[in-house]
């Protein structure tokens, strides 16, 4: 009886070894080893070697999505966004409704400046992620969508499309209410719109979330006041700005923020004195 059990166990072990060898050398396993190696090369900044591994994987199976996805990632790192989109489109055809493929396609579109398409791909990826049990992509997708709205808003602002730019910054704000950058960029946008009252509010919001960035926003606003300070309105602009800073200092309990506000107020007061002196000459 013991001998029979030994023989059976030996046969099972032998079959397991054979099965392992077959699996290891199967086309799928060989292809995925090339992909894994390529991913590691890409992480190390060795794009050429990564591309070689992708091509080796394609030699095994041209109908597998993974080599095209890897090539798409490689082209993104090289800022060849058009080529990346082509490869990722093929990957999507071979493996529809992939969160990872949608994510990198969105990144490629964003790099190409096609923000509407990028946001649409991010939305598809987020919808898929919400429906699946895979929650590993949630934070990454949210952060990427936030960055896309910020970048899109800045582009629109640079082109003078201020209302549209404002809309993108506000959407970024809804995605991450604790992030100071939408408020920070709204400061410069409202300055461009000559809405110094709204710019001041956003500078305050920026400072609440990140003190150093808020200080920069206030200096930017003070500098804008100086640039706009022409004729009779100049001194009045600075008086109003200085008074509001004084009110904020009185209400602020954080000592570091109070000191920063004092420095900005001193800058504003000095600019006002210069104007009044020049006016009196």
């Amino acid at each position: 009886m013991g001998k029979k059990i030994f023989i059976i166990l030996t046969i099972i072990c032998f079959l397991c070894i054979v099965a392992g060898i077959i699996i290891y050398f199967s086309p799928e396993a060989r292809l995925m080893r090339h992909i894994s190696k390529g991913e590691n090369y890409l992480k190390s900044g060795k794009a050429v070697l990564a591309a070689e591994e992708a091509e080796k994987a394609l030699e095994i199976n041209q109908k597998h999505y993974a080599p095209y996805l890897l090539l798409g990632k490689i082209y993104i790192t090289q800022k060849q966004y058009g080529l990346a989109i082509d490869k990722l489109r093929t990957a999507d055809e071979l493996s529809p409704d992939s969160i990872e493929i949608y994510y990198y396609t969105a990144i490629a579109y964003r790099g190409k400046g096609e923000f509407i398409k990028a946001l649409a791909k991010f939305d598809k990826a987020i919808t898929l992620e919400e429906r699946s049990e895979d929650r590993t992509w949630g934070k990454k997708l949210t952060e990427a969508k936030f960055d896309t709205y910020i970048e899109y808003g800045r582009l629109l602002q640079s082109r003078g499309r201020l209302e549209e730019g404002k809309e993108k910054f506000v959407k970024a704000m809804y995605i991450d209410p604790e992030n100071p950058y939408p408020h920070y960029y709204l400061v410069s946008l409202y300055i461009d719109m000559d809405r110094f009252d709204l710019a001041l509010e956003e500078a305050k919001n920026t400072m609440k979330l990140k003190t150093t960035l808020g200080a920069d926003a206030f200096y930017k606003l003070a500098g804008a006041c100086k640039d706009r300070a022409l004729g009779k309105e100049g001194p009045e602009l600075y008086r109003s700005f200085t008074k509001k800073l004084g009110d904020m200092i009185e209400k602020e309990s954080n000592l570091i923020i109070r000191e920063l506000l004092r420095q900005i107020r001193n800058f504003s007061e000095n600019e006002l004195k210069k104007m009044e002196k020049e006016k009196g000459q």
Side-chain angles (χ1 to χ4, degrees):
M1 188 71 179
K3 189 175 180 181
K4 286 183 179 179
I5 293 173
F6 175 77
I7 292 169
I8 291 169
L9 289 173
T10 302
I11 292 169
I12 291 171
C13 288
F14 175 76
L15 291 174
C16 288
I17 291 168
V18 170
I21 292 170
I22 292 170
I23 292 170
Y24 183 82
F25 288 103
S26 69
E28 176 75 13
R30 288 189 293 118
L31 183 146
M32 293 312 296
R33 282 200 295 276
H34 285 302
I35 295 299
S36 177
K37 198 172 179 181
E39 292 281 2
N40 289 332
Y41 278 136
L42 189 60
K43 288 175 184 176
S44 303
K46 300 174 182 177
V48 174
L49 293 175
E52 288 176 3
E53 293 300 324
E55 294 298 336
K56 288 176 183 176
L58 281 173
E59 289 174 8
I60 296 169
N61 186 357
Q62 293 186 1
K63 298 296 182 182
H64 200 290
Y65 78 93
Y68 299 100
L69 173 57
L70 176 55
L71 286 169
K73 294 178 185 179
I74 292 166
Y75 285 131
I76 287 171
T77 63
Q78 296 173 336
K79 298 185 179 180
Q80 298 185 61
Y81 300 113
L83 292 173
I85 290 166
D86 288 342
K87 296 300 180 184
L88 291 164
R89 189 179 291 121
T90 303
D92 182 48
E93 290 169 359
L94 295 169
S95 179
D97 293 336
S98 162
I99 296 172
E100 186 175 12
I101 293 171
Y102 280 142
Y103 171 81
Y104 283 105
T105 305
I107 295 295
Y109 275 125
R110 185 176 73 188
K112 200 178 177 186
E114 296 185 34
F115 293 100
I116 294 173
K117 289 182 180 179
L119 289 166
K121 291 295 182 182
F122 280 131
D123 285 339
K124 283 187 177 182
I126 289 167
T127 300
L128 278 175
E129 197 264 348
E130 288 172 348
R131 291 175 181 172
S132 72
E133 295 180 358
D134 183 3
R135 291 290 181 269
T136 58
W137 283 92
K139 185 179 179 183
K140 197 171 185 178
L141 287 167
T142 301
E143 289 175 350
K145 189 175 179 181
F146 173 91
D147 291 341
T148 303
Y149 273 125
I150 291 293
E151 196 172 330
Y152 194 11
R154 295 185 71 185
L155 176 68
L156 291 167
Q157 182 184 352
S158 71
R159 293 180 176 176
R161 295 161 63 180
L162 301 182
E163 284 295 337
E164 293 174 79
K166 172 187 168 184
E167 178 192 344
K168 306 311 173 193
F169 292 141
V170 170
K171 284 186 176 180
M173 197 186 304
Y174 285 134
I175 291 173
D176 187 357
E178 298 302 312
N179 194 303
Y181 281 95
H183 302 282
Y184 177 74
Y185 289 120
L186 279 170
V187 172
S188 62
L189 185 139
Y190 283 135
I191 288 170
D192 289 346
M193 297 173 77
D194 284 327
R195 291 299 308 271
F196 285 77
D197 54 334
L198 296 177
L200 179 61
E201 288 303 311
E202 290 303 337
K204 288 158 64 176
N205 290 332
T206 307
M207 183 161 277
K208 287 176 186 175
L209 294 168
K210 189 173 182 180
T211 304
T212 52
L213 194 64
D216 186 67
F218 271 106
Y219 277 114
K220 185 179 290 188
L221 182 54
C225 285
K226 179 181 178 181
D227 293 339
R228 299 290 200 283
L230 301 171
K232 295 180 180 178
E233 294 181 2
E236 187 54 39
L237 253 175
Y238 263 104
R239 284 194 194 93
S240 174
F241 183 58
T242 303
K243 182 179 182 305
K244 286 178 180 178
L245 285 170
D247 293 340
M248 289 177 64
I249 291 167
E250 291 299 319
K251 295 175 183 177
E252 183 55 58
S253 58
N254 187 301
L255 295 177
I256 296 173
I257 294 177
R258 284 185 66 161
E259 180 55 33
L260 283 168
L261 289 172
R262 282 196 189 95
Q263 291 177 22
I264 298 164
R265 185 181 63 178
N266 291 340
F267 171 81
S268 182
E269 287 173 343
N270 290 334
E271 290 300 322
L272 178 59
K273 288 174 184 177
K274 287 178 188 177
M275 285 179 195
E276 290 175 338
K277 186 178 179 181
E278 289 171 1
K279 189 177 178 181
Q281 288 177 350

